[in-house]
Amino acid sequence: MQGNGFKIGTIVAFLALTIYYLYPTIVWNLEQNYIEDLSASEAAQYEEENQEKLEDLRDDILSLGLDLQGGMHVTLEVGVPQLILELAGENADQLLEDVIDTARERSIEEGTDFIDEMVAEFESRDPDARLSRYYRNDAMDITRRSTNEEIATFLKTQRDSALERAIEIIRTRVDRYGVTEPSIVKQGNNRIVVELPGVEDKERVRNLLKGTARLEFRLAADAQEFSNFTEQVYEYYNSFEQEADTSDTAAVTNQFNPLEEVLVPAQRQYLFGYATAEDTARVMDLLRNEDIQRMMPRNTTVMWSANPLAGQAGQDLYQLIGVRTQIELTGDVIENATVQFDPATNVPEVSMSMNSDGARKWGRITGANIGKPVAIVLDGYVFSYPNVQTKISNGRSSITGLDGVQEAEDLVNILLSGALPAPLEIMEERTVGATLGAESIRAGLNSILFGLGVVAIFMIIYYRTGGGIADLALLLNIIFILGILAAFKATLTLPGIAGIVLTIGMAVDANVLIFDRIREEQRTGKTLKAAIEAGYANAMSAIVDANVTTFFVAIILFSFGVGPIKGFAVTLMAGIVASLFSAIVITRVVVDYLTQAKQKVVSFG
């Protein structure tokens, strides 16, 4: 074993890391099996008592894909024709509508780009006509003199921007829905593919994905009234706790202030408190109490912030903000929004412009509320509530008080989401039941075991002791693959299992090359140790070449593939790394150990 110290250390380290990353998955499955054996009430109690532990485990487990876990696969299409028509605004006429209808039908029949078809159809009707008669945009220098090519570029930019904003809105909604490991990716230039593992309520998901985002501007609640309301609510639940204390001893033990259990008090105006995502629903249930509703100031309500803040214990906390029930403006008035930087401080801010009607209303609102916040709300969540510094005229304003460029860019996307409505249509929908997912797991596991068994038996029969060594490396190879997937937060899919089965064959292929070279060297009269040394050395180039080229192919599949293809590529890359390590390092260490004593004979068939 001399000279193998580094190899043994590497094997131990690799194995320790694999166990470390797979440990949460193992414990999670044991916990789930234990919970399944409990009654419904006992299971609910156990999950509540161990909520933090289970959540930590779930964050670190090897995730299963939609085909294994069950859930929904939805393909959405952005209504580009309607978007293009809306961009024309009041300039649109019957000719443009006819051109759009014809281009839509042709692009569907021939699978071509809608905007290219629209421009071609428009020019075929009048080669000298210009699309600039319909479209204007000072920010992008689109004027009456713009050529049709420039208009086409402008429209494609608006289409791409609308698609990106739709993805952000969907991601926000899906995150709030509570789906673990969702997949939301762009497909082509007008489609979005959404995969939601574990969901069962199909109708709710449809409404979640197709619902039109509503952007609102609301005034903050009256500071004094809301502060008094907050104190009254806390006193109400404190008195509830005191009443319980004055009863019997059992009540003192069991009763507690339910609000303090789920809400962190706030020391700022307009804020009712902070809560984790899991506790927001419970807080709202407590505030729906009839007594609490009677305490609520007139024309006032509360809304959660869209983005969390970091709490003292490292938890993400959402703010519960007091706002007016009256909607002052909607996103329909926003014409454009961009990220700008204050020339004096270089702090990012959002500059936005409104149409004439919005500018008039905005001037009235800001002029009457200087020094007070205005809440910007999307889909019922407050994304920002900056203070009004001065009266804003002509519809131009800046939103300050942002944490950084990323928040400013996110706010721009939110504002523009209301400015350019692009309807989403469900083009494809597939549902994989949990039972089918479990059957897929069993089928995949059976295929792995069958493939492993057949290969293992063949290797032992043909290569004797060497075959047994290769089988040990093969078993470790599969464990290493799962560890790599868990370490990089990859998702195991059904095509991924196919990749593992393929890797089984590739892993023993390297050992076949090595063992056959050893047998050839022995036939030339070399000693066993000399044959082993020459066998590993001479087979190395062929092994590395084959695996490296396959790895590059897997990279290409991962870069350009989607869905099942990407899942297969991820597992294939992990398998190649693990198989090279097991074939070159592990088998060599075992072979050296068995041949270190001269009386031990190792057979390679």
Side-chain angles (χ1 to χ4, degrees):
M1 294 294 286
Q2 294 180 350
N4 282 334
F6 177 76
K7 292 180 181 179
I8 294 173
T10 304
I11 294 171
V12 172
F14 203 176
L15 189 59
L17 282 173
T18 300
I19 295 173
Y20 172 78
Y21 284 112
L22 286 179
Y23 177 77
T25 303
I26 297 171
V27 176
W28 170 262
N29 284 284
L30 292 175
E31 290 283 351
Q32 293 303 305
N33 291 335
Y34 175 75
I35 292 173
E36 288 177 1
D37 294 335
L38 299 175
S39 64
S41 58
E42 291 174 337
Q45 181 180 356
Y46 182 83
E47 289 178 346
E48 183 177 355
E49 292 174 352
N50 298 273
Q51 180 179 358
E52 184 175 351
K53 172 187 174 183
L54 294 175
E55 288 179 353
D56 291 341
L57 287 173
R58 185 171 56 190
D59 290 340
D60 296 327
I61 64 173
L62 176 60
S63 301
L64 299 180
L66 189 71
D67 46 6
L68 298 179
Q69 187 178 350
M72 287 188 67
H73 172 103
V74 181
T75 301
L76 300 164
E77 184 174 277
V78 177
V80 178
Q82 183 172 338
L83 173 66
I84 299 303
L85 186 61
E86 291 287 341
L87 286 172
E90 297 179 354
N91 296 326
D93 56 17
Q94 189 61 45
L95 172 62
L96 181 63
E97 292 180 7
D98 292 342
V99 168
I100 288 176
D101 290 339
T102 303
R104 180 198 291 116
E105 295 175 359
R106 187 174 300 161
S107 63
I108 293 174
E109 292 175 358
E110 301 180 6
T112 53
D113 184 87
F114 163 76
I115 294 177
D116 290 339
E117 290 292 350
M118 189 197 81
V119 174
E121 176 64 22
F122 182 79
E123 292 177 343
S124 69
R125 301 193 180 197
D126 187 352
D128 298 325
R130 289 192 175 188
L131 284 166
S132 59
R133 61 194 281 191
Y134 301 113
Y135 300 103
R136 299 281 196 282
N137 189 292
D138 294 337
M140 297 189 66
D141 198 26
I142 298 299
T143 65
R144 190 171 183 81
R145 296 183 178 181
S146 298
T147 65
N148 288 348
E149 291 183 356
E150 292 173 335
I151 297 295
T153 301
F154 163 71
L155 295 178
K156 288 180 180 180
T157 301
Q158 296 299 312
R159 176 197 61 195
D160 295 342
S161 178
L163 182 62
E164 293 296 333
R165 293 195 300 273
I167 290 175
E168 289 302 317
I169 292 172
I170 290 173
R171 180 168 284 114
T172 299
R173 295 178 178 183
V174 168
D175 289 343
R176 284 292 185 175
Y177 187 80
V179 178
T180 304
E181 298 292 336
S183 173
I184 305 170
V185 296
K186 179 171 65 175
Q187 186 182 73
N189 55 31
N190 66 339
R191 289 193 174 186
I192 305 169
V193 177
V194 182
E195 291 188 346
L196 307 175
V199 301
E200 298 178 355
D201 192 340
K202 295 188 291 184
E203 188 61 33
R204 183 181 176 189
V205 170
R206 292 191 196 101
N207 295 333
L208 178 80
L209 298 178
K210 290 181 63 178
T212 302
R214 181 169 177 79
L215 178 68
E216 301 169 346
F217 294 82
R218 299 180 183 227
L219 298 178
D222 182 271
Q224 188 59 49
E225 289 182 353
F226 194 73
S227 177
N228 294 338
F229 164 70
T230 302
E231 292 179 3
Q232 291 172 5
V233 173
Y234 278 97
E235 289 176 1
Y236 174 83
Y237 281 109
N238 281 332
S239 64
F240 173 77
E241 181 181 26
Q242 292 169 4
E243 289 176 5
D245 291 342
T246 58
S247 58
D248 53 56
T249 305
V252 174
T253 303
N254 297 329
Q255 296 292 338
F256 59 91
N257 186 329
L259 192 61
E260 292 181 350
E261 286 290 313
V262 294
L263 193 72
V264 179
Q267 304 299 324
R268 293 174 56 189
Q269 286 184 325
Y270 314 109
L271 289 186
F272 187 81
Y274 307 88
T276 62
E278 295 79 10
D279 292 332
T280 54
R282 176 59 178 156
V283 172
M284 297 308 290
D285 287 340
L286 292 172
L287 294 183
R288 291 190 189 99
N289 182 297
E290 292 184 1
D291 295 335
I292 301 299
Q293 288 299 306
R294 284 193 289 268
M295 299 176 191
M296 183 78 74
R298 188 178 180 184
N299 299 326
T300 301
T301 187
V302 289
M303 289 183 169
W304 290 106
S305 63
N307 301 311
L309 301 174
Q312 294 182 350
Q315 291 180 310
D316 288 338
L317 298 178
Y318 291 86
Q319 306 170 74
L320 189 58
I321 305 165
V323 297
R324 295 288 189 181
T325 56
Q326 180 180 350
I327 300 171
E328 302 293 335
L329 284 174
T330 66
D332 296 337
V333 302
I334 302 297
E335 282 189 337
N336 195 21
T338 57
V339 177
Q340 303 290 340
F341 291 88
D342 189 301
T345 63
N346 203 35
V347 174
E349 57 187 35
V350 172
S351 175
M352 62 182 181
S353 60
M354 302 179 182
N355 58 29
S356 58
D357 183 53
R360 178 179 54 81
K361 293 180 179 178
W362 188 240
R364 175 182 55 80
I365 294 167
T366 54
N369 293 277
I370 296 175
K372 299 178 182 179
V374 175
I376 300 175
V377 181
L378 181 68
D379 285 341
Y381 296 101
V382 179
F383 274 77
S384 177
Y385 57 108
N387 284 328
V388 177
Q389 297 178 346
T390 60
K391 179 180 178 180
I392 302 169
S393 304
N394 301 324
R396 292 194 170 275
S397 62
S398 295
I399 300 175
T400 60
L402 305 174
D403 290 337
V405 176
Q406 183 175 1
E407 183 179 356
E409 292 175 346
D410 291 343
L411 190 53
V412 166
N413 285 337
I414 294 162
L415 293 171
L416 293 179
S417 295
L420 293 175
L424 295 176
E425 182 180 355
I426 295 179
M427 305 302 294
E428 180 187 4
E429 177 185 323
R430 297 198 308 268
T431 303
V432 180
T435 302
L436 183 59
E439 292 176 355
S440 298
I441 294 176
R442 284 194 295 271
L445 182 59
N446 290 337
S447 66
I448 291 176
L449 293 176
F450 180 77
L452 181 62
V454 171
V455 171
I457 293 171
F458 170 81
M459 292 296 290
I460 291 175
I461 292 175
Y462 196 77
Y463 291 104
R464 309 289 176 83
T465 309
I469 297 171
D471 292 342
L472 173 63
L474 189 60
L475 183 61
L476 291 175
N477 180 48
I478 295 174
I479 297 174
F480 288 151
I481 291 173
L482 297 177
I484 293 172
L485 294 177
F488 287 93
K489 302 290 184 182
T491 300
L492 181 62
T493 62
L494 197 57
I497 293 178
I500 294 177
V501 176
L502 175 62
T503 304
I504 292 174
M506 294 178 62
V508 296
D509 180 60
N511 291 121
V512 167
L513 290 173
I514 293 171
F515 296 160
D516 277 343
R517 293 291 299 188
I518 292 174
R519 292 164 68 175
E520 290 177 5
E521 298 295 336
Q522 283 183 304
R523 282 195 289 268
T524 64
K526 290 184 179 180
T527 63
L528 178 60
K529 287 188 176 181
I532 291 172
E533 187 71 32
Y536 273 94
N538 294 331
M540 194 62 61
S541 60
I543 294 172
V544 172
D545 287 347
N547 282 274
V548 168
T549 52
T550 307
F551 191 84
F552 282 135
V553 171
I555 291 176
I556 294 172
L557 290 175
F558 179 82
S559 301
F560 298 99
V562 294
I565 296 176
K566 182 169 288 190
F568 174 79
V570 169
T571 310
L572 185 59
M573 286 189 288
I576 291 171
V577 173
S579 63
L580 273 175
F581 180 76
S582 61
I584 296 174
V585 179
I586 295 178
T587 60
R588 182 61 188 271
V589 170
V590 177
V591 168
D592 286 349
Y593 173 76
L594 294 178
T595 58
Q596 65 179 340
K598 293 183 179 180
Q599 64 272 21
K600 291 185 178 180
V601 178
V602 179
S603 173
F604 293 96

CSV table of all heavy atoms in Angstrom, one decimal, residues 78 80 83-84 87 115 135-137 139-140 142 151-165 189 335-336 416 419-420 422:
chain,number,residue,atom,x,y,z
A,78,VAL,N,-47.5,33.9,-24.2
A,78,VAL,CA,-47.8,35.3,-24.1
A,78,VAL,C,-48.5,35.7,-25.3
A,78,VAL,O,-48.1,35.4,-26.5
A,78,VAL,CB,-46.5,36.1,-23.9
A,78,VAL,CG1,-46.8,37.6,-23.9
A,78,VAL,CG2,-45.7,35.7,-22.7
A,80,VAL,N,-48.7,37.7,-27.8
A,80,VAL,CA,-48.0,38.7,-28.6
A,80,VAL,C,-48.9,39.5,-29.5
A,80,VAL,O,-48.7,40.7,-29.6
A,80,VAL,CB,-46.8,38.1,-29.3
A,80,VAL,CG1,-46.0,39.1,-30.1
A,80,VAL,CG2,-45.9,37.4,-28.3
A,83,LEU,N,-50.6,42.1,-27.6
A,83,LEU,CA,-49.6,43.1,-27.1
A,83,LEU,C,-49.2,44.1,-28.1
A,83,LEU,O,-49.1,45.3,-27.9
A,83,LEU,CB,-48.3,42.3,-26.6
A,83,LEU,CG,-47.1,43.1,-26.2
A,83,LEU,CD1,-47.4,44.0,-24.9
A,83,LEU,CD2,-45.9,42.2,-25.9
A,84,ILE,N,-49.0,43.6,-29.4
A,84,ILE,CA,-48.6,44.4,-30.5
A,84,ILE,C,-49.7,45.4,-30.8
A,84,ILE,O,-49.5,46.6,-31.1
A,84,ILE,CB,-48.2,43.6,-31.7
A,84,ILE,CG1,-47.0,42.7,-31.4
A,84,ILE,CG2,-47.9,44.5,-32.9
A,84,ILE,CD1,-45.8,43.4,-30.9
A,87,LEU,N,-49.8,48.1,-28.1
A,87,LEU,CA,-48.8,49.1,-28.2
A,87,LEU,C,-49.1,50.2,-29.2
A,87,LEU,O,-48.6,51.3,-29.1
A,87,LEU,CB,-47.5,48.4,-28.7
A,87,LEU,CG,-46.7,47.6,-27.6
A,87,LEU,CD1,-45.6,46.8,-28.3
A,87,LEU,CD2,-46.2,48.5,-26.5
A,115,ILE,N,-43.9,38.5,-35.5
A,115,ILE,CA,-43.6,39.9,-35.8
A,115,ILE,C,-43.0,40.0,-37.2
A,115,ILE,O,-43.3,40.9,-38.0
A,115,ILE,CB,-42.6,40.5,-34.8
A,115,ILE,CG1,-43.3,40.6,-33.4
A,115,ILE,CG2,-42.1,41.9,-35.2
A,115,ILE,CD1,-42.4,41.1,-32.3
A,135,TYR,N,-46.7,53.4,-34.3
A,135,TYR,CA,-45.9,53.2,-33.1
A,135,TYR,C,-45.0,54.4,-32.9
A,135,TYR,O,-44.4,54.9,-33.8
A,135,TYR,CB,-45.1,51.9,-33.2
A,135,TYR,CG,-45.9,50.7,-33.4
A,135,TYR,CD1,-46.1,50.1,-34.6
A,135,TYR,CD2,-46.6,50.1,-32.3
A,135,TYR,CE1,-46.8,48.9,-34.8
A,135,TYR,CE2,-47.4,49.0,-32.4
A,135,TYR,CZ,-47.5,48.4,-33.7
A,135,TYR,OH,-48.3,47.3,-33.8
A,136,ARG,N,-44.9,54.8,-31.6
A,136,ARG,CA,-44.1,55.9,-31.2
A,136,ARG,C,-43.5,55.5,-29.8
A,136,ARG,O,-44.1,54.9,-29.0
A,136,ARG,CB,-44.8,57.2,-31.0
A,136,ARG,CG,-45.5,57.8,-32.2
A,136,ARG,CD,-44.5,58.5,-33.1
A,136,ARG,NE,-45.2,59.3,-34.1
A,136,ARG,CZ,-45.8,58.8,-35.2
A,136,ARG,NH1,-45.8,57.5,-35.4
A,136,ARG,NH2,-46.5,59.5,-36.0
A,137,ASN,N,-42.2,55.9,-29.6
A,137,ASN,CA,-41.6,55.7,-28.3
A,137,ASN,C,-40.3,56.5,-28.3
A,137,ASN,O,-39.3,56.2,-28.9
A,137,ASN,CB,-41.2,54.2,-28.1
A,137,ASN,CG,-40.7,53.9,-26.7
A,137,ASN,OD1,-39.7,54.4,-26.3
A,137,ASN,ND2,-41.5,53.2,-26.0
A,139,ALA,N,-38.3,57.1,-25.8
A,139,ALA,CA,-37.2,56.5,-25.1
A,139,ALA,C,-36.3,55.7,-26.0
A,139,ALA,O,-35.1,55.6,-25.9
A,139,ALA,CB,-37.7,55.7,-23.9
A,140,MET,N,-36.9,55.0,-27.0
A,140,MET,CA,-36.2,54.1,-27.9
A,140,MET,C,-36.0,54.8,-29.3
A,140,MET,O,-35.7,54.1,-30.3
A,140,MET,CB,-36.9,52.8,-28.1
A,140,MET,CG,-36.9,52.0,-26.7
A,140,MET,SD,-37.5,50.3,-26.9
A,140,MET,CE,-36.2,49.6,-27.9
A,142,ILE,N,-38.1,55.9,-31.5
A,142,ILE,CA,-39.1,55.5,-32.5
A,142,ILE,C,-40.0,56.7,-32.9
A,142,ILE,O,-40.8,57.1,-32.0
A,142,ILE,CB,-39.9,54.3,-32.0
A,142,ILE,CG1,-39.0,53.1,-31.7
A,142,ILE,CG2,-40.9,53.9,-33.1
A,142,ILE,CD1,-38.2,52.6,-32.8
A,151,ILE,N,-38.9,49.5,-36.6
A,151,ILE,CA,-40.1,49.2,-35.8
A,151,ILE,C,-40.2,47.7,-35.4
A,151,ILE,O,-40.6,47.4,-34.3
A,151,ILE,CB,-41.4,49.5,-36.7
A,151,ILE,CG1,-41.4,51.0,-37.0
A,151,ILE,CG2,-42.7,49.1,-36.0
A,151,ILE,CD1,-41.6,51.9,-35.8
A,152,ALA,N,-39.8,46.8,-36.3
A,152,ALA,CA,-39.7,45.4,-36.0
A,152,ALA,C,-38.8,45.1,-34.9
A,152,ALA,O,-39.1,44.3,-34.0
A,152,ALA,CB,-39.3,44.6,-37.2
A,153,THR,N,-37.7,45.8,-34.8
A,153,THR,CA,-36.7,45.6,-33.7
A,153,THR,C,-37.3,46.1,-32.4
A,153,THR,O,-37.2,45.5,-31.4
A,153,THR,CB,-35.4,46.4,-34.0
A,153,THR,OG1,-34.8,45.9,-35.2
A,153,THR,CG2,-34.4,46.2,-32.8
A,154,PHE,N,-38.0,47.2,-32.5
A,154,PHE,CA,-38.7,47.8,-31.3
A,154,PHE,C,-39.8,46.8,-30.8
A,154,PHE,O,-39.9,46.6,-29.6
A,154,PHE,CB,-39.3,49.2,-31.7
A,154,PHE,CG,-40.3,49.6,-30.7
A,154,PHE,CD1,-40.0,50.1,-29.4
A,154,PHE,CD2,-41.7,49.6,-31.1
A,154,PHE,CE1,-41.0,50.5,-28.6
A,154,PHE,CE2,-42.7,50.1,-30.2
A,154,PHE,CZ,-42.3,50.5,-28.9
A,155,LEU,N,-40.6,46.3,-31.7
A,155,LEU,CA,-41.6,45.4,-31.3
A,155,LEU,C,-41.1,44.1,-30.6
A,155,LEU,O,-41.6,43.6,-29.7
A,155,LEU,CB,-42.5,45.1,-32.5
A,155,LEU,CG,-43.3,46.2,-33.0
A,155,LEU,CD1,-44.2,45.8,-34.3
A,155,LEU,CD2,-44.2,46.9,-32.0
A,156,LYS,N,-40.0,43.6,-31.2
A,156,LYS,CA,-39.4,42.4,-30.6
A,156,LYS,C,-38.8,42.7,-29.3
A,156,LYS,O,-38.9,41.8,-28.4
A,156,LYS,CB,-38.3,41.9,-31.6
A,156,LYS,CG,-38.8,41.2,-32.9
A,156,LYS,CD,-37.7,40.7,-33.8
A,156,LYS,CE,-38.3,40.1,-35.0
A,156,LYS,NZ,-37.2,39.6,-36.0
A,157,THR,N,-38.3,43.9,-29.1
A,157,THR,CA,-37.7,44.2,-27.8
A,157,THR,C,-38.9,44.3,-26.7
A,157,THR,O,-38.7,43.8,-25.6
A,157,THR,CB,-37.0,45.6,-27.8
A,157,THR,OG1,-35.9,45.5,-28.8
A,157,THR,CG2,-36.5,46.0,-26.5
A,158,GLN,N,-40.0,44.9,-27.1
A,158,GLN,CA,-41.1,45.0,-26.2
A,158,GLN,C,-41.7,43.6,-25.9
A,158,GLN,O,-42.1,43.3,-24.8
A,158,GLN,CB,-42.2,45.8,-26.9
A,158,GLN,CG,-41.9,47.3,-27.1
A,158,GLN,CD,-41.5,48.0,-25.7
A,158,GLN,OE1,-42.3,47.9,-24.8
A,158,GLN,NE2,-40.4,48.7,-25.7
A,159,ARG,N,-41.7,42.7,-26.9
A,159,ARG,CA,-42.2,41.3,-26.7
A,159,ARG,C,-41.3,40.6,-25.7
A,159,ARG,O,-41.8,39.9,-24.8
A,159,ARG,CB,-42.2,40.6,-28.1
A,159,ARG,CG,-42.5,39.1,-27.9
A,159,ARG,CD,-42.1,38.3,-29.2
A,159,ARG,NE,-40.7,38.4,-29.4
A,159,ARG,CZ,-40.1,38.1,-30.6
A,159,ARG,NH1,-40.8,37.7,-31.6
A,159,ARG,NH2,-38.8,38.1,-30.7
A,160,ASP,N,-40.0,40.7,-25.9
A,160,ASP,CA,-39.0,40.0,-25.0
A,160,ASP,C,-39.1,40.6,-23.6
A,160,ASP,O,-39.1,39.8,-22.6
A,160,ASP,CB,-37.6,40.2,-25.5
A,160,ASP,CG,-37.4,39.5,-26.9
A,160,ASP,OD1,-38.2,38.6,-27.2
A,160,ASP,OD2,-36.4,39.9,-27.6
A,161,SER,N,-39.3,41.9,-23.5
A,161,SER,CA,-39.4,42.5,-22.2
A,161,SER,C,-40.7,42.0,-21.5
A,161,SER,O,-40.7,41.8,-20.3
A,161,SER,CB,-39.5,44.0,-22.3
A,161,SER,OG,-39.6,44.7,-21.1
A,162,ALA,N,-41.8,42.0,-22.3
A,162,ALA,CA,-43.1,41.5,-21.7
A,162,ALA,C,-42.9,40.0,-21.2
A,162,ALA,O,-43.5,39.6,-20.2
A,162,ALA,CB,-44.2,41.6,-22.7
A,163,LEU,N,-42.2,39.2,-22.0
A,163,LEU,CA,-42.0,37.8,-21.6
A,163,LEU,C,-41.2,37.7,-20.3
A,163,LEU,O,-41.6,36.9,-19.4
A,163,LEU,CB,-41.3,37.1,-22.7
A,163,LEU,CG,-41.0,35.6,-22.5
A,163,LEU,CD1,-42.3,34.8,-22.4
A,163,LEU,CD2,-40.2,35.0,-23.6
A,164,GLU,N,-40.2,38.5,-20.1
A,164,GLU,CA,-39.4,38.5,-18.9
A,164,GLU,C,-40.2,39.0,-17.7
A,164,GLU,O,-40.1,38.4,-16.6
A,164,GLU,CB,-38.1,39.4,-19.1
A,164,GLU,CG,-37.1,38.9,-20.1
A,164,GLU,CD,-36.5,37.6,-19.7
A,164,GLU,OE1,-36.4,37.3,-18.5
A,164,GLU,OE2,-36.1,36.8,-20.6
A,165,ARG,N,-41.0,40.0,-17.9
A,165,ARG,CA,-41.8,40.5,-16.8
A,165,ARG,C,-42.9,39.4,-16.4
A,165,ARG,O,-43.2,39.3,-15.2
A,165,ARG,CB,-42.5,41.8,-17.2
A,165,ARG,CG,-41.5,42.9,-17.4
A,165,ARG,CD,-42.3,44.3,-17.5
A,165,ARG,NE,-43.2,44.4,-18.5
A,165,ARG,CZ,-42.9,44.7,-19.8
A,165,ARG,NH1,-41.7,45.0,-20.1
A,165,ARG,NH2,-43.9,44.8,-20.7
A,189,ASN,N,-39.5,32.5,-28.0
A,189,ASN,CA,-39.6,33.9,-27.8
A,189,ASN,C,-41.0,34.3,-27.2
A,189,ASN,O,-41.2,35.5,-27.1
A,189,ASN,CB,-39.3,34.7,-29.0
A,189,ASN,CG,-40.1,34.2,-30.2
A,189,ASN,OD1,-41.3,33.8,-30.0
A,189,ASN,ND2,-39.6,34.3,-31.4
A,335,GLU,N,-46.5,54.7,-18.3
A,335,GLU,CA,-46.1,54.6,-19.7
A,335,GLU,C,-44.7,54.1,-19.8
A,335,GLU,O,-44.3,53.3,-20.7
A,335,GLU,CB,-46.1,56.0,-20.4
A,335,GLU,CG,-47.5,56.4,-20.8
A,335,GLU,CD,-47.5,57.7,-21.7
A,335,GLU,OE1,-46.6,58.4,-21.6
A,335,GLU,OE2,-48.5,57.9,-22.4
A,336,ASN,N,-43.8,54.5,-18.9
A,336,ASN,CA,-42.4,54.0,-18.9
A,336,ASN,C,-41.8,54.1,-17.5
A,336,ASN,O,-42.2,54.9,-16.7
A,336,ASN,CB,-41.6,54.8,-19.9
A,336,ASN,CG,-40.3,54.1,-20.3
A,336,ASN,OD1,-40.2,52.9,-20.1
A,336,ASN,ND2,-39.3,54.8,-20.8
A,416,LEU,N,-43.7,48.2,-15.0
A,416,LEU,CA,-43.9,47.9,-16.4
A,416,LEU,C,-44.9,46.8,-16.6
A,416,LEU,O,-45.6,46.7,-17.7
A,416,LEU,CB,-42.6,47.7,-17.2
A,416,LEU,CG,-41.7,48.9,-17.3
A,416,LEU,CD1,-40.4,48.5,-18.0
A,416,LEU,CD2,-42.3,50.0,-18.0
A,419,ALA,N,-48.0,48.3,-17.1
A,419,ALA,CA,-48.1,49.2,-18.3
A,419,ALA,C,-48.3,48.5,-19.6
A,419,ALA,O,-49.0,49.0,-20.5
A,419,ALA,CB,-46.8,50.0,-18.4
A,420,LEU,N,-47.8,47.3,-19.7
A,420,LEU,CA,-48.0,46.5,-20.9
A,420,LEU,C,-48.7,45.2,-20.6
A,420,LEU,O,-48.0,44.1,-20.4
A,420,LEU,CB,-46.6,46.2,-21.6
A,420,LEU,CG,-45.9,47.4,-22.1
A,420,LEU,CD1,-44.5,47.0,-22.6
A,420,LEU,CD2,-46.7,48.1,-23.2
A,422,ALA,N,-50.1,41.8,-21.2
A,422,ALA,CA,-49.9,40.7,-22.2
A,422,ALA,C,-50.6,39.4,-21.6
A,422,ALA,O,-50.1,38.8,-20.7
A,422,ALA,CB,-48.4,40.4,-22.4
